[in-house]
Amino acid sequence: MKLSISLFITAILTSASASNVLELNPDSWDDVVGTGKPGLVEFFATWCGHCKNLAPTYEQVADAYSHVKDKVFVAKVDADGVGKELGRKYGVTGFPTLKWFDGKGNYEPYESGRDLESFTSFITEKTGVKSSIKPPPPPSYRILDYSNFDEIVLDPKKDVLVTFTAPWCGHCKAMKPAYEKVASIFETENNCVLVNVDADDKKNEALKTRFGISGFPTIKFFPKDNKDGIAYEAGRSEADFVNYLNEKCGTQRSVNGGLLDTAGRLADFDVLANKFFVASGDLRDSIHKEALALSSTIGDASKHYIRIMEKMVNGTEAYYEKESKRLESILKKRTLAPAKLDEIKIKSNILRAFSEKPKEDSESNIRRAAAEL
């Protein structure tokens, strides 16, 4: 009985410590590397803090390719211990050092990020073998590198916010959820764009130097009229990003998604809309004509004001109530595409202008009352 328990405990401990990362040494190296199968090798030191931080992710990388061990390997060598000879042979001067070996044993430095996604993307690109990890959905922001940065960021028709980050950076990781949320909010704004650059990736070294990136994250705003970039110095919350972009891009996005209640509103037409709403008969017709004349100088932005007036010019008050309820119901359900919801929100905002006292009038009344005291 005691023997059975002992074997059981041994089996559990063996299972718990099992790893898909191959541990190589000078004796086993030639049995794995250069034998026809490519692989990634980490040269580490047991005392190295960065190596310890990398270890959980590196285990995940090996697990992600455990189903194709006959096609690719993931290994490590204690290059400051039993494998010091191998470290010297392959020019290892710091830890961890990662190198990619092809099937013939030819090698190159691994210089991409040290997060799971970067590792798996690199290995899949090199081998054509897919990992067992389901890729996350693409972010709402654009991921750029040296090859397409200028095309997007320097476009004179676009205002662009750029985060220069590093995969290992804790502050970058903390900021990522808020940045993703804000990017989703601005997804329908074609000329106000949010992007990200891995400035720690060696292939983007020129971009890092060009824009003086010395710490992470560094955030720069590239407006249409200044493609040298402006340092972003506001906060990193969703509200901070949204308020900044609304000011710089001239947009009217809400932190909760969608548009603000002011989106689509025109001050001069708000005044006419309210006058029209409280007027009757011939006076409505006169205001309608005034709005038409003003519309000819403004264009498409005023069209919905005119359309509502035409619906109500003959005194069809029921239209206002019915349309308000219809638009409110659509916005509440949020089943339409974001661009369509924006269109509905603007219509709702403009319709509401007919029954609201214009802001300027309200402020004037307050000033007048104060003067009379």
Side-chain angles (χ1 to χ4, degrees):
M1 179 63 73
K2 289 182 179 180
L3 181 60
S4 297
I5 293 174
S6 176
L7 290 173
F8 178 69
I9 292 173
T10 301
I12 291 176
L13 292 174
T14 302
S15 175
S17 62
S19 171
N20 287 309
V21 178
L22 297 177
E23 293 195 36
L24 302 181
N25 57 52
D27 293 331
S28 61
W29 180 270
D30 290 336
D31 294 331
V32 177
V33 181
T35 60
K37 182 168 59 177
L40 185 66
V41 179
E42 176 200 3
F43 295 84
F44 74 97
T46 55
W47 48 262
C48 163
H50 291 301
C51 303
K52 292 175 183 177
N53 291 337
L54 176 63
T57 301
Y58 204 63
E59 288 288 346
Q60 288 179 299
V61 175
D63 292 344
Y65 292 95
S66 61
H67 64 297
V68 284
K69 288 183 177 180
D70 58 325
K71 296 180 180 178
V72 64
F73 67 85
V74 177
K76 64 181 181 180
V77 176
D78 181 358
D80 194 49
V82 67
K84 185 173 285 190
E85 174 188 330
L86 290 169
R88 284 196 294 266
K89 179 178 179 179
Y90 292 103
V92 175
T93 57
F95 306 106
T97 292
L98 293 125
K99 293 182 183 291
W100 175 258
F101 291 82
D102 67 17
K104 296 180 180 179
N106 301 314
Y107 64 93
E108 63 181 85
Y110 172 83
E111 296 178 329
S112 292
R114 293 181 182 178
D115 58 291
L116 181 60
E117 186 177 353
S118 295
F119 278 122
T120 55
S121 295
F122 177 87
I123 294 174
T124 294
E125 182 181 342
K126 286 290 187 182
T127 63
V129 176
K130 293 183 179 180
S131 76
S132 60
I133 298 172
K134 184 179 179 180
S140 297
Y141 52 82
R142 294 283 301 273
I143 298 177
L144 305 182
D145 60 22
Y146 73 97
S147 67
N148 56 6
F149 183 92
D150 286 2
E151 177 188 353
I152 304 300
V153 179
L154 304 191
D155 186 339
K157 296 179 182 178
K158 299 183 186 300
D159 295 311
V160 186
L161 185 66
V162 183
T163 53
F164 295 90
T165 60
W168 47 262
C169 162
H171 292 300
C172 303
K173 292 176 183 177
M175 178 184 71
K176 188 175 180 179
Y179 197 66
E180 163 61 24
K181 175 66 183 301
V182 174
S184 69
I185 291 171
F186 281 81
E187 207 163 12
T188 58
E189 299 287 350
N190 295 328
N191 294 323
C192 189
V193 183
L194 286 81
V195 307
N196 171 254
V197 174
D198 179 357
D200 196 46
D201 192 327
K202 291 294 183 182
K203 68 183 179 184
N204 295 323
E205 187 68 33
L207 286 176
K208 182 179 177 182
T209 302
R210 178 178 167 190
F211 293 106
I213 310 303
S214 57
F216 304 108
T218 293
I219 309 173
K220 289 182 178 288
F221 182 68
F222 295 80
K224 298 180 182 74
D225 59 354
N226 181 1
K227 293 306 180 179
D228 291 331
I230 300 168
Y232 173 89
E233 297 177 340
R236 295 175 188 169
S237 70
E238 292 170 18
D240 291 327
F241 281 125
V242 170
N243 291 336
Y244 181 90
L245 290 171
N246 279 339
E247 178 187 346
K248 297 295 185 180
C249 298
T251 49
Q252 293 183 303
R253 309 307 307 191
S254 164
V255 177
N256 298 322
L259 291 169
L260 295 171
D261 289 344
T262 53
R265 298 276 287 267
L266 302 170
D268 289 343
F269 273 89
D270 282 358
V271 173
L272 290 175
N274 185 251
K275 285 181 179 179
F276 179 92
F277 189 75
V278 298
S280 59
D282 293 341
L283 190 54
R284 275 193 172 183
D285 188 56
S286 174
I287 297 171
H288 177 229
K289 289 178 181 178
E290 184 181 350
L292 281 172
L294 182 59
S295 178
S296 66
T297 66
I298 294 178
D300 290 347
S302 62
K303 278 187 175 181
H304 199 61
Y305 284 93
I306 302 299
R307 189 172 295 114
I308 294 172
M309 288 183 183
E310 289 171 349
K311 291 282 187 179
M312 297 178 62
V313 73
N314 296 319
T316 53
E317 302 299 339
Y319 170 79
Y320 179 86
E321 295 296 334
K322 184 178 179 181
E323 184 68 356
S324 294
K325 290 178 180 178
R326 185 183 75 87
L327 296 176
E328 183 181 346
S329 175
I330 293 172
L331 291 171
K332 188 175 182 180
K333 292 178 181 177
R334 301 193 68 81
T335 55
L336 299 178
K340 190 64 178 178
L341 284 172
D342 284 352
E343 180 184 325
I344 297 296
K345 178 62 174 174
I346 289 173
K347 287 182 177 181
S348 177
N349 288 348
I350 293 173
L351 183 64
R352 198 175 58 255
F354 280 75
S355 63
E356 289 181 351
K357 196 72 173 174
K359 185 178 179 182
E360 289 184 4
D361 284 1
S362 299
E363 291 176 349
S364 296
N365 290 337
I366 292 170
R367 287 194 296 270
R368 189 180 301 112
E372 292 173 353
L373 293 176

